[in-house]
Amino acid sequence: MGKIILTGDRPTGKLHLGHYVGSLRRRVELQNAGDFDRMFVFMADVQALTDNADNPEKIRQNIIEVALDYLSAGLDPEKCTLFIQSQIPELAELTTYLMNLITVSRVQRNPTVKTEIKMRNFEANIPLGFFCYPVSQAADIALFKATTVPAGEDQEPMIEVTRELVRRFNQTYSEVLVEPEIMLPENATARRLPGTDGKEKMSKSLGNCIYLSDSAAEVWKKVKKMSNGAPRMSMDEPGNLEGNAVFTYLEAFSTPDDFAEFWPEYKTLEELKDHYVRGGIGDGTTKKFLNNVLNKMLEPIRERRAEYEKDIPEIYNILRKGSEAARETAAQTMDEVRRAMQIDYFNDAALIQQQAEKFRK
Ligand code: TRP
């Protein structure tokens, strides 16, 4: 059995640097390393609708935003299958059957869903579709027989539910589905990039994001306003690294090449940090450096975006072709699922024959 990578995002907003370090950059690396049999990346619009039922326009707008983010970050439709969840009706079908193999109390135990219910003030009135989305997510993974799911820690409970459902399915019917493994981000900053305020996690609702689609001018405006931790009276005072978003971002994004190109006085971030905490480096200077680092990374992304934006119908074409390809795989698994569940009546000649004999007088 080969390696099948699958992952996705809810299309509820443009992607930002937190998404980039947390997942997108890794996906592009995985894609280019080519160490897999298939790689799928999809937009989970069905899942996004579970708590946006009254706002389909938001999802529809963000499908194209996220697709542009994917493509401009370097996901390549020649190497990985990009698709839209709602275009795969087999997902809904598998979800229905998986629901029979899990209890309400098991779904209720999911810590990620519990937190989300609180955040959305759903306590008294949880939409049933929202409550069940972990089962739908298990179907997303199982339908493609994914072995490897790159995702954040918050997705661990979903993968656990998926593994249980796969085991239950295979025991109850026959060995059709595959137990996936989660592939967590490799380091702490990748797991949780703070926003430009230096405190909370970068997120749209907190207004502390730098978007992949931001222009160079927008990036500079946001970098200028970034937090430096505890304030200093002058640059000669020792600098603080605690709560200093500029240094957290340098940690996440700067490379020795960036130093050689933009600040050759230092070879590495360690050297810069040592000097900064001794005092003598102004925050304006570290911000200019960070701005250069970010723009160097974002510039190729912006260039690709500008190209893709010239032909939006082609983006829909890419997504349509990806969805068609994904559906072929989905249909194959569903044939196996239906056979295992003995609901493939019309393809089962033996069954028809048997029944005919039983009723023959
Ligand atoms: N729940 C994921 C998120 O909010 C999105 C998602 C849906 C997903 N189905 C998936 C991720 C399957 C990985 C695999 O980000």
Side-chain angles (χ1 to χ4, degrees), residues 99-246:
M99 280 186 189
N100 299 336
L101 304 175
I102 190 167
T103 62
V104 170
S105 68
R106 175 66 187 91
V107 178
Q108 253 159 353
R109 256 191 354 251
N110 187 310
T112 301
V113 178
K114 274 192 191 162
T115 316
E116 287 175 323
I117 287 172
K118 276 208 196 88
M119 269 164 38
R120 289 162 176 70
N121 287 319
F122 273 166
E123 276 101 338
N125 269 308
I126 312 172
L128 186 56
F130 183 83
F131 179 77
C132 297
Y133 93 71
V135 183
S136 147
Q137 182 157 343
D140 298 339
I141 298 167
L143 188 60
F144 298 95
K145 300 189 179 181
T147 56
T148 313
V149 181
E153 268 160 348
D154 62 327
Q155 298 300 304
E156 271 181 308
M158 311 303 162
I159 308 299
E160 207 35 62
V161 165
T162 308
R163 294 169 59 86
E164 286 175 30
L165 278 168
V166 164
R167 284 199 293 270
R168 245 342 260 294
F169 184 98
N170 289 347
Q171 275 160 16
T172 311
Y173 306 114
S174 62
E175 286 279 330
V176 170
L177 305 179
V178 176
E179 269 187 66
E181 307 270 355
I182 192 166
M183 182 186 227
L184 291 167
E186 62 275 83
N187 61 57
T189 358
R191 279 200 283 275
R192 185 188 177 281
L193 186 75
T196 49
D197 54 9
K199 294 191 204 93
E200 304 294 330
K201 187 169 167 174
M202 184 174 279
S203 95
K204 187 181 48 168
S205 52
L206 297 167
N208 61 4
C209 299
I210 295 178
Y211 292 100
L212 292 177
S213 50
D214 279 348
S215 68
E218 282 165 324
V219 170
W220 177 229
K221 213 166 96 193
K222 292 177 181 179
V223 169
K224 256 194 306 200
K225 277 198 267 174
M226 260 167 100
S227 155
N228 297 109
R232 294 188 285 169
M233 300 302 281
S234 91
M235 63 175 247
D236 297 321
E237 282 180 26
N240 299 298
L241 297 176
E242 188 92 0
N244 190 325
V246 176

Side-chain angles (χ1 to χ4, degrees), residues 39-56:
M39 178 163 171
F40 299 93
V41 178
F42 74 103
M43 285 178 265
D45 61 339
V46 175
Q47 191 174 112
L49 284 163
T50 63
D51 63 336
N52 286 284
D54 52 358
N55 202 356

